[in-house]
Amino acid sequence: SQQGEEDPQALSIQEGENATMNCSYKTSINNLQWYRQNSGRGLVHLILIRSNEREKHSGRLRVTLDTSKKSSSLLITASRAADTASYFCATGSNDYKLSFGAGTTVTVRA
Amino acid sequence: NAGVTQTPKFQVLKTGQSMTLQCAQDMNHEYMSWYRQDPGMGLRLIHYSVGAGITDQGEVPNGYNVSRSTTEDFPLRLLSAAPSQTSVYFCASSTTQNTEAFFGQGTRLTVV
C-alpha cells in the first residue's frame, strides 16, 4: 500500500488565493518531499523537509511537518494559473524506497 | 545536461509481447527507480536500485525485470505484456532515496 495520502483529492481556487493541501503517512520517515506534475509531464521536485525540521520555505511555497501526527502540509501563496498541476507528497525512509501518495489536483482559475 | 532520458515516449504492444523500456541518467546518481502511474493511484514503485549490480523489488514488481550493469542505465523489461500493464511509466534517479529525485518524461504504454 502507498505510504502517503493527500487531501483533498482536488482543489479549485481563484488566481491570487492561497492553496493548501495535506499529506498523511503511516510509518516513520527520514524526510518528506513534495513534487509537482503538469499534465502529461514528468514530476518536478519542489521541496524536501527532513524529519527533524518543522517548517521550510521556498519562494511562494511553505511546507510544514508534524511527525507526531504523521502529517505534512503544502501551502502555495498568491496562486497563479501556472500553478495548475497535480501535487504529490513522497516519503523517504530507511527501507531505500521513496513512496508517493495519490496526489492533489489543483486548478487555478483566472 | 540531459538529466533522465526515457525511451520510447509511446509504445503499443500486443498481449504476450516483450519489450524493454530504456532509462539513462548522466548525473552519476547511485539510486534509480521505476514507477508506474495509473489514474487515481499516484505513483507505485516497481523496482529500484541503490547502485550498479544491486536491484530490489518495490510495491508492484510482478511481470517486470530490471538490471543495473552500469551507473547510468536502468532498463525495465516486460516479459510477457498484459493489458493490466497499460500505464505511464516513469524512471527517476537521485543521489539516495532521501534526496531530490529527477524524473524522466515518461513512457505511455498501451497493451492491447
Side-chain angles (χ1 to χ4, degrees), chain B residues 64-86:
Chain B
Y64 308 95
N65 273 359
V66 292
S67 60
R68 184 95 179 271
S69 56
T70 67
T71 299
E72 295 77 19
D73 300 299
F74 191 43
L76 177 72
R77 279 183 286 277
L78 280 72
L79 307 174
S80 177
S84 61
Q85 293 179 305
T86 293

Side-chain angles (χ1 to χ4, degrees), chain A residues 15-63:
Chain A
E15 205 165 20
E17 292 180 338
N18 296 343
T20 300
M21 59 209 85
N22 303 296
C23 171
S24 59
Y25 57 92
K26 299 170 186 172
T27 61
S28 63
I29 62 172
N30 291 334
N31 67 87
L32 189 142
Q33 305 178 36
W34 286 91
Y35 289 80
R36 184 187 72 231
Q37 183 181 35
N38 292 96
S39 181
R41 307 295 296 273
L43 279 73
V44 174
H45 183 265
L46 295 176
I47 198 164
L48 181 152
I49 186 165
R50 302 198 184 281
S51 59
N52 61 352
E53 297 175 311
R54 291 297 166 259
E55 187 170 313
K56 207 161 184 181
H57 296 256
S58 177
R60 294 184 295 111
L61 305 180
R62 172 178 170 256
V63 168

Side-chain angles (χ1 to χ4, degrees), chain A residues 22-25 32 64-73:
Chain A
N22 303 296
C23 171
S24 59
Y25 57 92
L32 189 142
T64 63
L65 179 64
D66 187 334
T67 53
S68 67
K69 294 181 180 179
K70 291 187 170 58
S71 68
S72 173
S73 68

Side-chain angles (χ1 to χ4, degrees), chain A residues 1-2 30-31 33 35 37 40-43 45 48 50 88 92-102, chain B residues 31 35 37 40-45 48 50 57-59 90 97-106 108:
Chain A
S1 62
Q2 288 175 279
N30 291 334
N31 67 87
Q33 305 178 36
Y35 289 80
Q37 183 181 35
R41 307 295 296 273
L43 279 73
H45 183 265
L48 181 152
R50 302 198 184 281
F88 296 88
S93 54
N94 289 334
D95 65 357
Y96 299 103
K97 298 173 186 174
L98 184 63
S99 299
F100 285 79
Chain B
Y31 188 85
Y35 294 87
Q37 185 176 31
M41 299 193 71
L43 277 77
R44 292 184 290 170
L45 182 65
Y48 65 96
V50 299
Q57 297 180 352
E59 186 184 354
F90 288 99
Q97 83 279 12
N98 290 312
T99 56
E100 173 186 1
F102 294 82
F103 281 79
Q105 289 301 300
R108 186 173 295 274

